[in-house]
Amino acid sequence: MKNNAIARFNQVLLFMVLVFALLYFAKPFLIPVAIGGMMAMLLVPVCKRMEQRGVPRGLAAVICVLLTLVLLLAGAYLLFHQLIELGKDLPMIGRKLNEMLNSGHDFISERFQLPVAKQKEYLQSQIAGLSNLAGQFIGDIFRFILSFLVHILIITAYSVLLLIYRRRIKNFVLSLVSYYAGETRVAEARDVVDKTAAVASAYLAGVFLVALIFSVINTIGLTIIGIENALFFGVMVATINIIPYIGSVVGSTVVVIYTLITCDSLLTPVIVAFFFIVMQQIDSYILTPKITGGKIQLNALFTLMALLLGSLVWNVAGMILFVPFLGVAKVIFDHVDALKPYGNLIGDRDTKNKKPAISR
């Protein structure tokens, strides 16, 4: 028995290693498929409504995907235009940053008797390290966006074809269940597939709805505070906030640093920081639980693990995609008796089953 348990553990471990090796080395192929699959799952309810009104499935799929694509490209163009406007302020930002550094050097030199030359040498070494990290992160983001734009036609084709052939894919899954588990399990499998698709679609729609709501609120709030380029920063923070935990901190920090450099008063950065802290609390305790929390609830431990693992395997694309994938996996776990312990493990609340999933 002990040898069998060790052999089974080794098989599971080898399977996991092979899966992640496949994810890593096949990411040029898998990332467009994953994005197309997410888009298709998001658009399934809209596509079904159009089909119920007599629109052919192929035409409904094309219309849904193209409209979504137009909206995304319009948003990207708007952000790019705002980014160009922000670029006009770079000389002023550089001048003020230089003034702040000189004031800091003088203060430290007077208080601690530390020569300015040594301060600058130390500061340059620290900035070089931070610049490498920031440059790598920003470079990954731009490479992901560039890759997305390059593969936009492929992703569009995947989304359309997955919407068109979704019934065939479902029948394929049911055929496998019938072959390996018997006809008695087909009805249960069909129910699991339908619930998984519905809940996953609602979850993804909720994530994007939260981002849209926060884009509007952030833009209005920053405009009232008096921040220039409020639209760019509001949408940027809301978009990066899709990445759990890290996204909100990174996005809000960028805005606070920008206001700290560009504003003469220290009060404005403090107000901006307080605004984002309040927004984060609203997101954590009101919006996200109300909109997506009823669909899928992931605990912080496994969400962070999915985030870091996604970054390791697929870089920024993995940080964005792996958390929704874990959410979809939890839907499947929650609807399959043998997998319910795993759903309970990665969820943020304990589930009490009438029948234990594992019996002695």
Side-chain angles (χ1 to χ4, degrees), residues 1 18 35-36 57 70-71 77 80 114 118 130 149 168 174 228 230 280 292 300 304 312 329:
M1 289 292 293
L18 291 175
I35 297 174
R57 172 167 293 189
V70 168
L71 291 174
Y77 173 78
F80 182 73
L114 187 64
K118 287 188 176 181
L130 291 174
L149 293 175
R168 185 172 298 185
L174 296 179
E228 296 183 3
Q280 182 59 38
T292 63
L304 187 60
L312 178 66

Side-chain angles (χ1 to χ4, degrees), residues 43-55 60 166:
L43 297 175
V44 163
V46 181
C47 196
K48 281 184 176 180
R49 288 173 188 170
M50 294 182 67
E51 292 170 15
Q52 291 171 357
R53 296 183 179 181
V55 180
R166 65 181 188 272

Side-chain angles (χ1 to χ4, degrees), residues 1-14:
M1 289 292 293
K2 185 176 181 180
N3 291 334
N4 290 337
I6 294 175
R8 193 177 299 113
F9 175 78
N10 289 335
Q11 290 174 355
V12 172
L13 187 62
L14 178 61

Side-chain angles (χ1 to χ4, degrees), residues 52-250:
Q52 291 171 357
R53 296 183 179 181
V55 180
R57 172 167 293 189
L59 182 59
V62 171
I63 292 173
C64 289
V65 174
L66 288 182
L67 285 177
T68 304
L69 190 61
V70 168
L71 291 174
L72 290 176
L73 291 177
Y77 173 78
L78 183 62
L79 283 178
F80 182 73
H81 178 72
Q82 292 291 313
L83 188 60
I84 293 175
E85 293 296 322
L86 181 63
K88 297 178 182 179
D89 297 333
L90 287 180
M92 181 268 294
I93 293 174
R95 186 173 60 255
K96 287 196 172 184
L97 185 59
N98 190 43
E99 292 174 359
M100 291 173 63
L101 288 176
N102 289 332
S103 300
H105 288 320
D106 294 338
F107 177 80
I108 294 174
S109 179
E110 293 175 2
R111 294 282 181 174
F112 302 100
Q113 303 301 319
L114 187 64
V116 175
K118 287 188 176 181
Q119 295 180 43
K120 290 184 176 181
E121 182 181 352
Y122 176 77
L123 187 61
Q124 286 174 357
S125 64
Q126 296 300 315
I127 290 176
L130 291 174
S131 297
N132 290 334
L133 292 175
Q136 183 179 359
F137 183 73
I138 294 172
D140 286 341
I141 291 177
F142 277 104
R143 276 193 291 271
F144 170 69
I145 295 173
L146 217 66
S147 175
F148 179 80
L149 293 175
V150 169
H151 293 91
I152 195 104
L153 293 177
I154 300 174
I155 294 169
T156 303
Y158 277 134
S159 303
V160 171
L161 293 175
L162 286 171
L163 285 171
I164 293 174
Y165 295 120
R166 65 181 188 272
R167 184 173 298 169
R168 185 172 298 185
I169 296 172
K170 177 181 176 180
N171 291 334
F172 169 73
V173 173
L174 296 179
S175 298
L176 290 179
V177 173
S178 175
Y179 181 78
Y180 288 104
E183 289 290 337
T184 56
R185 293 287 185 177
V186 172
E188 182 182 357
R190 181 180 288 109
D191 182 58
V192 170
V193 171
D194 291 339
K195 287 181 178 178
T196 300
V199 175
S201 176
Y203 170 72
L204 293 173
V207 169
F208 286 104
L209 179 59
V210 170
L212 179 61
I213 292 172
F214 267 94
S215 295
V216 176
I217 296 176
N218 288 343
T219 302
I220 295 173
L222 293 176
T223 302
I224 294 173
I225 295 172
I227 305 301
E228 296 183 3
N229 305 296
L231 177 60
F232 171 78
F233 287 120
V235 176
M236 181 203 70
V237 174
T239 303
I240 299 179
N241 193 46
I242 293 176
I243 303 174
Y245 306 115
I246 296 176
S248 60
V249 175
V250 171

